[in-house]
Amino acid sequence: MYEKLGISKKVIDIVKNAEETLKEEFKKIDEVCDENSLKVLAAFNNNNISEAHFNSTTGYGYDDLGRDAIEKVFAEVLGAEDALVRSQFISGSHALCVALFAFLRPGDTMLSITGTPYDTLHEVIGIKENKSSLKSFGIKYDQIELINDDFDYERIKNYLKSNKVKLIEIQRSKGYSTRKSITIDKVEKVIKEIRSIDKDVIVMVDNCYCEFVNTLSPCEVGADVIVGSLIKNLGGGIAPNGAYIAGKKELVDLAGERLTLPGEGREVGPTLGINKQILQGIFMAPSVIASALKTAVLTSKVLEDLGYKVEPKYNEERADIVQNIIFGNEYDLVEYCGGIQGASPIDSFSKPLPWDMPGYDDKVVMAAGAFTQGSSIELSCDGPVRKPFIAYQQGSLTYSYGKIAVMKAVSMLLNNDK
Ligand SMILES: *Cc1c(COP(=O)(O)O)cnc(C)c1O
């Protein structure tokens, strides 16, 4: 069976050997999974989730019992006062956009303290011109770079002392950058420093890819509001689309007024049959994240043993589910992505090639053979085709499928060795 998939005996041995050394890492991942599963189960129990909540509304979506219960479950799991969990959010980026437009007013300043935000936010903020950007409404933007993969605490404090800032954005996951992702300890530390200067500034965390990687949510360490996608971690590979905004009730309500319309806010928004999938998705999420993390750790170990640079290393603390492999040349990057695609359940017959993508300066190669379009809690691997040719791999619904795909991708690399 392995041979039919193009996996060589040599690669099976490499992966089996790597697995032997990962027992301790896998045990830690299982412990986090247990704790997060307890949290999710408690939230279901405390909110008396029953079959009635699987029912859905159409039209305006008034009195959607399931939707309201889902939002209570998400709030509890995320340690937040309240949450808005909606399929009317097209994506994580859309939820971030709604949040920014909901909280900021003309004349206000938004400050990013993790350098340049995620690519899709550039036109939202106005870093790249767009007639509908925050900038076009007179909202100012500034950013402070990270130093040595940590916050520039002094510059942040000085900035807050001499400027009135309405909202601070912290992006935990690295996006297509080469920095490390931000651990929850660092989020906690910087929020304490921020609060020592400014009690009122809204601290908003882009939490994409970070949910359930550890046991604490940013809301539990002082963030006012957090945002994430349901086709990433918390959707558990089951939610068909959507995103969430969770945090202080007042802010979640404001986001609701912006997502729909002032005056109707959170009272409307039909769920059109997906309540059960959203509930089942968050129920599965702790275990799916554990599978994704094990796949990432295995990838890190195997590719490092083969002589590639990786980030994070297999035994490093993780903040998100993203694994980088620094290939150093285009050929290996493309071959590896081809292997991941070839071991996908959907579109395994396609070969990913570097292509121009809207919003990106370089060509991008993307392996994504997912049940849900664009889902990156399902195994996916992509990277901009520029030096040093970094692959960004994330997800896997089960560890076995993740392992098989890594075996296939490594076989492609070794077969085609220069
Ligand atoms: C994925 C991601 C987003 C949102 O992406 P969508 O594809 O729009 O859901 C935002 N920020 C970061 C850091 C991400 O990884």
Side-chain angles (χ1 to χ4, degrees):
M1 286 300 289
Y2 281 117
E3 236 167 77
K4 276 193 192 146
L5 246 180
I7 295 168
S8 67
K9 174 84 177 67
K10 184 179 163 199
V11 172
I12 297 171
D13 290 341
I14 292 174
V15 169
K16 288 264 148 73
N17 282 336
E19 259 183 332
E20 281 303 309
T21 61
L22 297 175
K23 290 203 169 117
E24 198 52 40
E25 301 308 317
F26 284 12
K27 191 166 155 251
K28 281 188 232 158
I29 293 170
D30 286 334
E31 281 164 9
V32 171
C33 177
D34 286 351
E35 201 168 317
N36 285 325
S37 299
L38 276 168
K39 240 190 216 183
V40 170
L41 187 60
F44 273 62
N45 296 166
N46 294 340
N47 290 289
N48 295 329
I49 298 301
S50 70
E51 196 171 10
H53 295 120
F54 301 161
N55 293 330
S56 249
T57 52
T58 55
Y60 295 122
Y62 292 128
D63 301 320
D64 195 312
L65 296 181
R67 183 190 68 208
D68 297 347
I70 285 168
E71 295 187 334
K72 290 202 177 95
V73 168
F74 269 67
E76 184 171 332
V77 167
L78 292 166
E81 271 175 32
D82 209 340
L84 185 66
V85 184
R86 300 294 169 109
S87 67
Q88 283 80 20
F89 288 126
I90 300 307
S91 60
S93 303
H94 181 213
L96 285 160
C97 173
V98 167
L100 291 171
F101 274 93
F103 308 147
L104 293 161
R105 296 290 177 273
D108 284 348
T109 296
M110 162 186 179
L111 175 68
S112 162
I113 56 170
T114 40
T116 312
Y118 196 67
D119 301 64
T120 52
L121 293 183
H122 295 186
E123 287 184 55
V124 172
I125 294 167
I127 297 170
K128 190 173 168 202
E129 273 315 310
N130 185 298
K131 285 181 188 153
S132 299
S133 68
L134 289 164
K135 188 177 160 198
S136 78
F137 285 88
I139 291 153
K140 293 183 261 250
Y141 169 78
D142 213 344
Q143 69 186 45
I144 294 175
E145 303 302 321
L146 294 165
I147 40 169
N148 301 325
D149 292 328
D150 202 350
F151 295 103
D152 191 341
Y153 297 97
E154 282 317 303
R155 274 198 61 197
I156 294 167
K157 282 196 282 185
N158 287 335
Y159 193 98
L160 292 175
K161 277 177 198 156
S162 47
N163 298 277
K164 183 68 203 149
V165 176
K166 178 69 172 291
L167 178 143
I168 288 179
E169 202 224 7
I170 298 172
Q171 179 188 313
R172 294 187 63 198
S173 192
K174 67 185 68 149
Y176 269 163
S177 80
T178 52
R179 68 165 169 94
K180 284 186 197 292
S181 296
I182 310 276
T183 59
I184 197 76
D185 302 350
K186 286 180 185 159
V187 174
E188 180 168 26
K189 184 171 167 203
V190 81
I191 293 176
K192 280 210 178 98
E193 299 279 3
I194 291 166
R195 290 289 175 235
S196 73
I197 312 283
D198 190 331
K199 297 260 177 287
D200 303 321
V201 60
I202 299 168
V203 177
M204 179 177 111
V205 176
D206 175 350
N207 205 33
C208 282
Y209 282 141
C210 297
E211 302 93 344
F212 287 162
V213 171
N214 316 100
T215 53
L216 280 177
S217 131
C219 295
E220 294 166 290
V221 298
D224 295 305
V225 65
I226 66 177
V227 182
S229 164
L230 294 191
I231 59 170
K232 292 182 177 174
N233 299 23
L234 285 191
I238 297 176
N241 88 320
Y244 74 85
I245 297 175
K248 298 236 166 87
K249 181 172 185 343
E250 184 195 340
L251 296 173
V252 172
D253 283 342
L254 273 173
E257 300 285 302
R258 179 50 57 212
L259 172 64
T260 68
L261 61 154
E264 295 189 21
R266 308 174 58 183
E267 300 298 314
V268 293
T271 46
L272 307 172
I274 68 164
N275 283 345
K276 181 178 165 189
Q277 283 162 286
I278 293 190
L279 284 165
Q280 207 165 1
I282 194 171
F283 184 75
M284 295 301 292
S287 152
V288 171
I289 302 312
S291 297
L293 285 170
K294 286 177 186 173
T295 304
V297 166
L298 177 74
T299 304
S300 182
K301 176 76 178 130
V302 168
L303 275 291
E304 185 178 30
D305 288 350
L306 289 173
Y308 294 100
K309 268 197 221 142
V310 293
E311 205 291 310
K313 291 191 187 286
Y314 75 93
N315 54 1
E316 247 177 285
E317 186 187 355
R318 282 169 194 262
D320 61 15
I321 60 169
V322 181
Q323 178 63 46
N324 285 169
I325 310 150
I326 297 108
F327 280 113
N329 69 83
E330 173 173 347
Y331 188 78
D332 285 0
L333 169 65
V334 174
E335 283 304 306
Y336 186 88
C337 288
I340 296 293
Q341 184 77 37
S344 298
I346 313 299
D347 294 336
S348 62
F349 49 85
S350 320
K351 181 167 170 53
L353 294 173
W355 215 256
D356 291 311
M357 304 267 297
Y360 297 93
D361 295 334
D362 303 277
K363 287 186 192 247
V364 177
V365 58
M366 287 197 166
F371 288 90
T372 297
Q373 188 190 102
S375 167
S376 47
I377 186 57
E378 298 180 54
L379 184 61
S380 59
C381 187
D382 44 67
V385 182
R386 64 169 178 244
K387 281 182 184 166
F389 302 100
I390 304 176
Y392 295 77
Q393 180 189 295
Q394 55 273 316
S396 195
L397 296 182
T398 77
Y399 173 60
S400 286
Y401 289 125
K403 175 163 66 175
I404 292 168
V406 172
M407 284 178 172
K408 166 91 178 169
V410 169
S411 297
M412 296 272 285
L413 274 184
L414 296 187
N415 285 344
N416 291 292
D417 234 352
K418 326 116 259 218

